[in-house]
Amino acid sequence: IVAIILGFFFPAYFIDALKLEDAEKAREARGKACASFGFLVVFFILLMYLFMYIYLQSDRSGRKWALPLALSGICFGFGAASKWTCIYAGAGLGLIWLIDRIERYASAIGSSEDKEERKVALKDYWRESGQNIAICLVFFVVLPLLIYYVSYYAYGRAEGMEGVGMF
């Protein structure tokens, strides 16, 4: 009856489920510390992308756009300090940010047929881009490096590292 209702051959899927369950035991045997740590990275990646989405949807006329971008960078820093997998997700964020900058440049160029209005729109674009790049450098480069360094400082001191060796 199950095979007729669900439309598949039940014993084959049951055997596959047993194989998956067996693989799960093998994964757990390798060590719970590595396996149980992945949720933290996924959490920070989801937060990074959530804050980037909020930034992309925000009104860029005031300063309200800076907070979601900064929070995205902070989550990137915590994620990168947790596992390097988050750095790859950060590259995806960088690509999304670059596409947004290109779209905003295209809209500034095509904003008006009048040369003076276009000149003002491009001036506003470059002013906003300068502020945006500065915030991104602080929150996606400097702060993540600082978070990474601080998160491994105690380990380095315990191993006897000092000065330049800590880097």
Side-chain angles (χ1 to χ4, degrees):
I1 296 174
V2 172
I4 294 170
I5 294 172
L6 297 178
F8 60 86
F9 187 62
F10 181 72
Y13 282 102
F14 183 74
I15 291 169
D16 283 344
L18 288 176
K19 288 179 189 175
L20 288 174
E21 192 270 333
D22 188 44
E24 183 69 23
K25 285 181 182 175
R27 183 195 59 83
E28 286 180 5
R30 287 192 300 243
K32 289 191 181 259
C34 292
S36 65
F37 198 60
F39 81 94
L40 196 58
V41 178
V42 171
F43 175 71
F44 285 123
I45 289 172
L46 288 173
L47 282 179
M48 282 171 21
Y49 277 89
L50 172 69
F51 289 128
M52 182 60 78
Y53 176 76
I54 293 170
Y55 159 73
L56 293 173
Q57 299 300 317
S58 67
D59 179 28
R60 312 275 175 89
S61 60
R63 286 277 190 189
K64 291 184 179 181
W65 57 267
L67 181 63
L69 195 61
L71 290 172
S72 180
I74 291 169
C75 290
F76 170 70
F78 285 132
S82 300
K83 248 184 178 177
W84 281 22
T85 307
C86 196
I87 294 173
Y88 302 120
L93 278 182
L95 184 63
I96 290 170
W97 178 83
L98 183 63
I99 290 170
D100 177 62
R101 291 281 95 207
I102 291 169
E103 286 178 351
R104 295 196 52 89
Y105 180 74
S107 69
I109 287 176
S111 63
S112 176
E113 294 294 324
D114 184 30
K115 258 187 168 177
E116 289 302 316
E117 287 180 21
R118 185 181 301 158
K119 196 174 185 179
V120 170
L122 281 174
K123 185 178 177 184
D124 289 343
Y125 167 79
W126 288 114
R127 181 185 48 78
E128 179 197 347
S129 291
Q131 293 171 349
N132 205 303
I133 290 169
I135 287 174
C136 285
L137 285 175
V138 169
F139 287 101
F140 282 94
V141 178
V142 175
L143 191 64
L145 286 174
L146 185 65
I147 292 170
Y148 189 84
Y149 177 77
V150 168
S151 68
Y152 287 101
Y153 182 77
Y155 173 77
R157 295 292 293 170
E159 291 291 319
M161 296 181 200
E162 293 180 11
V164 180
M166 287 290 288
F167 295 106

